[in-house]
Amino acid sequence: MTKTLTTIAVFCGSNTGEGDAYVDGARALGAALAQAGIALVYGGTTKGLMTVVADAVLAGGGTVHGVITESLHARGHSHPGLTRHEIVPTLGIRKARMIELADAFVALPGGIGTVEELMVAWSMNQLGEIDKPAGLLNVADFFSPFLAFLDRMVETRFLPPAHRGSIAVDSDPASLIEKLRAHERTNAPKWL
């Protein structure tokens, strides 16, 4: 069964990272979302990979919904060209709102916030609170060490193998979107 994806939340760096690969990956994901007719929901800023993916969706004629905190908005970090702006009081509310709006999640390279947002969405799926697939766009093998860490969780019996396989991974944006559409909920118990 193929999932209908109308909106994908993208978690990514508020920096662009070293070199061109991460910017190119963010731009390619934005173009793929626009081409697929999938709206973007993201953190609403003009910083780093966040603005790159948003600008690419907009350039492709797509829709972008930004959810930004009051403090970041007050500092002038709101992207002025978005389809829809939403200002919320706290980071926790911002994250909850993005999860609510999205049909699926994609993480691009990023820092602490990116990993935390991905893990919250993936944990909610694991616990059955939501049924919204999560994926990693593995630009320039950025997530390969993280995937090895997940394998270590399986080896040491902290993560069931079925849940390790419940996150989609690809280096090509269009292929990743197709994997998210084909995602089937993992019904294996969380506990070993």
Side-chain angles (χ1 to χ4, degrees), residues 32-45:
L33 290 172
Q35 184 173 6
I38 298 171
L40 167 68
V41 63
Y42 86 114
T45 75

Side-chain angles (χ1 to χ4, degrees), residues 81-168:
L82 304 182
T83 311
R84 180 164 181 215
H85 297 269
E86 190 170 341
I87 302 167
V88 297
T90 66
L91 191 60
I93 293 171
R94 175 196 199 189
K95 182 173 32 190
R97 185 70 176 130
M98 289 173 66
I99 289 170
E100 177 185 356
L101 291 167
D103 300 312
F105 311 96
V106 170
L108 282 165
I112 294 168
T114 300
V115 173
E116 189 266 345
E117 290 167 331
L118 170 70
M119 296 308 278
V120 167
W122 195 20
S123 295
M124 290 175 74
N125 272 304
Q126 185 186 45
L127 294 171
E129 293 181 18
I130 59 173
D131 181 13
K132 299 179 177 187
L136 302 172
L137 188 62
N138 198 17
V139 176
D141 288 321
F142 179 84
F143 287 109
S144 294
F146 176 72
L147 295 168
F149 178 61
L150 297 179
D151 291 337
R152 180 71 176 144
M153 289 180 186
V154 172
E155 291 167 12
T156 54
R157 298 186 48 81
F158 285 101
L159 180 67
H163 288 283
R164 164 62 175 86
S166 69
I167 191 162

